[in-house]
Amino acid sequence: MIHSLRRPMMLVTALLLLLTSVTPVFADDSQAPDFDSLSSDFAATMRSGVLKHPKLDSTLAELANDVDVGTLTDGAIARKGRVSQGSTVAVTIFVDGEPNALATWLDSRGERVIGIGSESVEAYVQVSTLESLASQPGVTAVRSIDGPTAKVVSQGVGLHNAPHWNSNGYTGAGVKVGVIDVGFRGILNLVGNELPTPIGRCYRSGNAPTSNLSDCAIGDVHGSAVAETLIDVAPNATLYVSNPGTWLQMRDAVTWMASQGVTIINFSAAWMWTGPGDGTSIYSDGPLATVDLAVATGITWVNAAGNEGSSTWSGGYRDNDGDQFLDFVSGIEVNAINVFAGQNVRVQMRWDDTWGFADTDLDLVLYDSSGTPVAVSQEEQSGQSGDVPLEVLDYTASSTGTVYVSIMHYGGPAPTWMQVQEFNGYALEHSSASGSIGNPAESANSGMLAVGAASWTTPNVIEKFSSQGPTRDGRIKPDVVGVDYADTASYGPSSFPGTSQASPHVAGMAALVKQRFPEFGPVDVAQYLRSNATQSHAPNNTWGYGLAYLPDIVGGENPIPRVISVSPASIPVGALPMIVTVSGSGFVEGSIVRWNGQDRETTFVSSSTLTFSITSIDVEAPSNVQITVSTPHPGGGISAALTLVITDNQQAAVDYAEFERTWQRTDEPVKQIVVSRTWMWGPGPASDALLEEYEDAPGGQRSVKYYEKSRMEVTDPDEDSSQVWYVTNGLLSKELITGEMQLGDDLFDDVGAADVPVAGDPDDANGPTYATFSDLLDAAPYASGATIIQRVDRSGTVTTDDSLAQYGV
């Protein structure tokens, strides 16, 4: 599910206290039921053996059981699903293999397929189909679809110094910006006053997207207020909007925006967790992968960090009394949430385990104030394909009061950490703001910015609800902070709280930066805003790099530094003191090289060259060192980082970032069907980075990485890494066919042609091998454009087969 990251506003005064920076009041422990008296019995009876529908999430499994009981109509049962239409529920089906066969099966049963990804199918299916769907070959999991949930001139414009840039001609003119959000109700009424006429890709009820803005002007007013805020900062930008409700729809929206030339996207919303919190995910169609796709196509992604600073708990494994119910704090097994009648509570939990093969089985239980379980999430984690360390429960309160969430350890090894979050932003009694960044704001992509919030009235005070880092892998988040609670026509004066409004302030700033520096890519734009924020000298996990701020434009200001290469790019452990050369552009006399963020004494050689010294202390142990250049005001800023590798005495392979960037530039558009052509490398890497002998590489070895169709190589890491041929691919197929392995520019070793099948299964005894073609290299080519009707067998015999003409190859 995605949700908007605007703080909820209720008419009930007590709830307003709960949702703002005022500390929420929870029921006294004395008022809570005695959970210890019931937890042991409940742990024993919560499950009766193996789950009946282990591939269905808890919500769908309950629906399937309701069908078996037969006490409700299909329509009544379906309405208990998270997203439903009539007697059908919206689901994502994850498939191990080709998803088209499953889509065909669904079509044959009259179910409505709404999207086909690389590993998943989205569809509306009858509740009565769920059980048979889960048993189809290749299906690893069936999960409920959750739509995204969203998290007048704004006063934040001046606090971010946008008017100064506007008055100097930087208004976003010529820059195309996109707002992807949960709804744009009222947007048509804003055109010509608050907004320019948007260009839309709009989704309504799972139907095909349209360009009709009325199909976007539905649902929440949230997206309209977000667009207002962005345009306040960048009034002359061209606005694109979209309201996708599923993963595949969001991917489609991003692909469309990229094709239109959009270079900035704001997403003031969040999805449920799709990974362990380190920026990785097993889902190639998921939100984190979509952020990577956007950046790979030249888009800077700006995302609300989240409003879960008071609604997230993280902690280690603790079960002091051994009853299988875990402690949030010592001796306390429940976490209270104040609720109001009709309010939806959604709790998600993840833990330290393997995504895709989780074998620690934890469950979530929600009790009412009498100690009666009112909602349970009990998906099975037994190490099977498709098992993920994630539980989600939903509950709509029937009355105002307090509910209590607990964690049960059903089976498997104890995890080292767990994380629980009330996804709608309602406070937990026991919470920890640390590590509360949302998804996909927790992305590790350097071309995206996660934005925290501070009120425009007190811009030096972080909002208590604003989500904070670090991420699970220790990265600083948020990246920057924007202001909220500013005016919009959509919500009214000072009534747009949350990181939802902070984010479009920063997205508008990104549009101004892109207009002023059109050569900047996504990483450059993001880094410019980080390096000019108020705490760039000392970032932390509350403010990131500080309140985002556009520096004054003055005559004769310093350029922004850019680092192209570091030489040497790798240094062995224990090396003698040496001089390191940093090459790039925009260097001035005051430019300083930074070693993992620490200033180093720097020698200015020219506008493209700086040098600095390293000592033996710097090379005591293997490490990856981030090298940046800082140039002082006026102007200036901090460059993006390059990695200098301190290797052990045994040379190690380096998995260069340029490998991934090369693949993203060439084959990511193929994978996402943005272009229609064959692969250059393949759908993903087939190996880790490896070392191979190469006479003309430093140390006689070079790092390579294998893909299904070719091999990437970095022969000289000291060359300019920004050049397109920094990564080469050699002639792997030629080597396999001729048997001549290239070990240097002019050095070859004859190892014999490869007796390995070119295609098909490795144990195929009939298909041609690479060696088959060694005797065909001198064969005359066929005419350009001729239809291929030839076959070749393993012996190298070529025959014609006229029936092949029907394929038109």
Side-chain angles (χ1 to χ4, degrees):
M1 175 178 183
I2 60 175
H3 68 152
S4 64
L5 297 178
R6 173 182 184 258
R7 292 297 293 171
M9 299 292 287
M10 302 286 186
L11 295 179
V12 183
T13 302
L15 184 56
L16 285 173
L17 295 176
L18 175 66
L19 300 181
T20 60
S21 59
V22 178
T23 302
V25 178
F26 293 93
D28 294 336
D29 289 340
S30 61
Q31 297 175 346
D34 182 8
F35 293 99
D36 285 338
S37 66
L38 56 84
S39 59
S40 296
D41 290 341
F42 188 69
T45 60
M46 184 173 171
R47 289 191 189 168
S48 54
V50 178
L51 293 177
K52 183 176 181 181
H53 306 293
K55 292 183 180 179
L56 302 177
D57 69 26
S58 287
T59 299
L60 298 177
E62 182 180 347
L63 297 182
N65 286 331
D66 287 344
V67 169
D68 293 342
V69 173
T71 56
L72 296 174
T73 65
D74 282 355
I77 293 172
R79 284 191 291 276
K80 295 168 64 177
R82 294 182 192 156
V83 178
S84 65
Q85 284 184 1
S87 60
T88 64
V89 288
V91 297
T92 299
I93 310 117
F94 295 98
V95 182
D96 182 11
E98 171 56 54
N100 285 308
L102 180 66
T104 300
W105 180 84
L106 289 166
D107 284 336
S108 71
R109 296 177 62 94
E111 310 294 357
R112 185 157 65 95
V113 174
I114 59 174
I116 303 174
S118 61
E119 61 172 10
S120 61
V121 177
E122 294 174 345
Y124 280 90
V125 300
Q126 299 289 325
V127 176
S128 56
T129 299
L130 290 172
E131 190 169 354
S132 57
L133 171 60
S135 64
Q136 289 304 299
V139 171
T140 59
V142 185
R143 304 194 182 280
S144 305
I145 283 182
D146 296 294
T149 303
K151 305 253 177 214
V152 175
V153 175
S154 159
Q155 294 89 336
V157 172
L159 291 169
H160 291 301
N161 204 31
H164 173 76
W165 278 48
N166 295 161
S167 65
N168 277 273
Y170 300 110
T171 60
V175 179
K176 296 179 178 180
V177 299
V179 173
I180 296 178
D181 216 284
V182 299
F184 295 87
R185 181 167 53 84
I187 193 171
L188 297 176
N189 298 327
L190 302 175
V191 173
N193 183 13
E194 298 291 336
L195 294 176
T197 302
I199 303 164
R201 189 168 184 85
C202 305
Y203 306 82
R204 183 188 284 269
S205 301
N207 296 324
T210 75
S211 59
N212 188 345
L213 277 178
S214 64
D215 288 332
C216 281
I218 56 177
D220 204 300
V221 72
H222 185 270
S224 302
V226 167
E228 277 189 72
T229 304
L230 192 158
I231 294 300
D232 283 347
V233 178
N236 291 331
T238 304
L239 178 63
Y240 291 74
V241 299
S242 187
N243 63 333
T246 72
W247 288 1
L248 295 181
Q249 286 177 352
M250 187 165 86
R251 208 163 185 80
D252 176 69
V254 168
T255 300
W256 169 74
M257 286 186 180
S259 72
Q260 299 297 304
V262 169
T263 55
I264 311 292
I265 285 180
N266 184 87
F267 187 60
S268 286
W271 295 91
M272 304 294 285
W273 289 324
T274 58
D278 61 358
T280 66
S281 175
I282 62 172
Y283 303 116
S284 61
D285 298 322
L288 289 167
T290 297
V291 170
D292 290 340
L293 168 63
V295 174
T297 54
I299 295 170
T300 302
W301 188 280
V302 185
N303 210 111
N307 299 330
E308 281 69 50
S310 299
S311 57
T312 304
W313 171 88
S314 298
Y317 186 91
R318 183 189 292 131
D319 184 9
N320 288 339
D321 57 8
D323 65 351
Q324 294 181 262
F325 282 82
L326 307 186
D327 297 357
F328 287 94
V329 296
S330 183
I332 299 178
E333 297 176 340
V334 293
N335 211 332
I337 307 170
N338 287 343
V339 296
F340 287 79
Q343 175 185 321
N344 175 256
V345 174
R346 171 161 292 172
V347 182
Q348 60 177 342
M349 173 176 64
R350 62 183 172 186
W351 57 93
D352 184 23
D353 207 338
T354 302
W355 283 72
F357 293 93
D359 61 356
T360 293
D361 200 342
L362 300 183
D363 296 321
L364 278 175
V365 186
L366 192 72
Y367 303 92
D368 64 16
S369 57
S370 68
T372 301
V374 292
V376 177
S377 179
Q378 51 180 358
E379 296 189 36
E380 182 173 312
Q381 291 90 18
S382 58
Q384 302 300 308
S385 177
D387 288 353
V388 295
L390 179 71
E391 295 283 342
V392 180
L393 62 77
D394 283 279
Y395 172 67
T396 300
S398 58
S399 61
T400 297
T402 305
V403 292
Y404 303 85
V405 63
S406 67
I407 306 170
M408 193 188 84
H409 182 191
Y410 184 78
T416 58
W417 61 265
M418 297 154 294
Q419 193 171 30
V420 174
Q421 183 178 89
E422 201 297 308
F423 187 60
N424 292 327
Y426 300 109
L428 296 174
E429 180 180 13
H430 305 291
S431 64
S432 46
S434 176
S436 56
I437 299 294
N439 174 36
E442 63 187 16
S443 166
N445 197 305
S446 55
M448 77 89 68
L449 292 166
V451 184
S455 172
W456 74 271
T457 60
T458 53
N460 61 337
V461 179
I462 201 74
E463 296 279 26
K464 182 174 181 179
F465 55 74
S466 185
S467 290
Q468 301 178 22
T471 58
R472 280 287 162 193
D473 55 332
R475 286 175 290 112
I476 288 178
K477 287 285 177 178
D479 293 280
V480 294
V481 169
V483 297
D484 71 337
Y485 269 111
D487 296 350
T488 62
S490 298
Y491 284 123
S494 296
S495 57
F496 191 4
T499 57
S500 273
Q501 189 180 35
S503 184
H505 277 121
V506 175
M509 298 166 73
L512 303 187
V513 173
K514 183 66 177 177
Q515 180 190 0
R516 185 179 176 196
F517 305 107
E519 74 278 10
F520 274 17
V523 174
D524 300 313
V525 172
Q527 185 59 28
Y528 182 90
L529 290 169
R530 291 188 195 98
S531 65
N532 284 290
T534 57
Q535 291 185 197
S536 62
H537 60 288
N540 59 48
N541 284 303
T542 300
W543 286 87
Y545 288 76
L547 186 70
Y549 190 82
L550 294 168
D552 285 349
I553 299 171
V554 297
E557 68 177 21
N558 290 325
I560 301 163
R562 303 185 77 188
V563 174
I564 295 174
S565 66
V566 178
S567 179
S570 63
I571 301 173
V573 167
L576 295 173
M578 65 174 65
I579 302 296
V580 176
T581 300
V582 179
S583 300
S585 63
F587 303 155
V588 300
E589 288 281 358
S591 295
I592 299 292
V593 175
R594 288 183 172 179
W595 176 284
N596 284 338
Q598 299 298 314
D599 289 355
R600 288 301 176 91
E601 186 173 341
T602 303
T603 299
F604 174 77
V605 179
S606 70
S607 62
S608 60
T609 305
L610 302 173
T611 62
F612 71 100
S613 299
I614 65 167
T615 68
S616 57
I617 297 176
D618 294 326
V619 292
E620 286 182 332
S623 64
N624 291 328
V625 181
Q626 298 299 297
I627 300 295
T628 56
V629 170
S630 171
T631 295
H633 293 301
I638 303 173
S639 72
L642 284 186
T643 302
L644 188 156
V645 182
I646 309 300
T647 65
D648 56 21
N649 293 322
Q650 179 71 35
Q651 186 176 344
V654 179
D655 192 356
Y656 292 100
E658 286 75 18
F659 287 148
E660 177 66 13
R661 287 206 291 267
T662 298
W663 181 87
Q664 288 178 339
R665 186 182 70 248
T666 54
D667 277 5
E668 176 82 9
V670 179
K671 183 175 181 178
Q672 306 308 330
I673 322 178
V674 176
V675 299
S676 179
R677 56 173 169 78
T678 189
W679 302 100
M680 177 176 288
W681 312 98
S687 76
D688 295 327
L690 305 169
L691 276 182
E692 291 188 354
E693 293 183 27
Y694 199 79
E695 182 182 48
D696 299 283
Q701 292 184 309
R702 65 180 176 184
S703 292
V704 304
K705 196 168 187 178
Y706 282 85
Y707 291 73
E708 178 184 318
K709 299 186 179 296
S710 197
R711 175 185 66 218
M712 291 192 190
E713 313 157 343
V714 174
T715 300
D716 189 350
D718 295 334
E719 288 293 324
D720 181 355
S721 63
S722 68
Q723 296 302 306
V724 69
W725 297 118
Y726 182 76
V727 174
T728 57
N729 71 325
L731 299 171
L732 178 59
S733 295
K734 182 178 180 181
E735 291 180 22
L736 292 168
I737 293 171
T738 64
E740 292 189 347
M741 180 183 296
Q742 188 166 12
L743 301 178
D745 293 350
D746 300 303
L747 178 64
F748 296 85
D749 183 16
D750 191 351
V751 297
D755 193 22
V756 176
V758 171
D761 297 326
D763 58 354
D764 177 13
N766 300 311
T769 67
Y770 286 97
T772 298
F773 294 93
S774 59
D775 294 329
L776 298 175
L777 291 177
D778 295 329
Y782 297 110
S784 177
T787 301
I788 297 175
I789 57 172
Q790 289 74 31
R791 293 182 181 272
V792 60
D793 62 18
R794 177 155 294 194
S795 68
T797 301
V798 178
T799 57
T800 59
D801 181 350
D802 291 335
S803 68
L804 297 178
Q806 64 181 309
Y807 299 108
V809 179

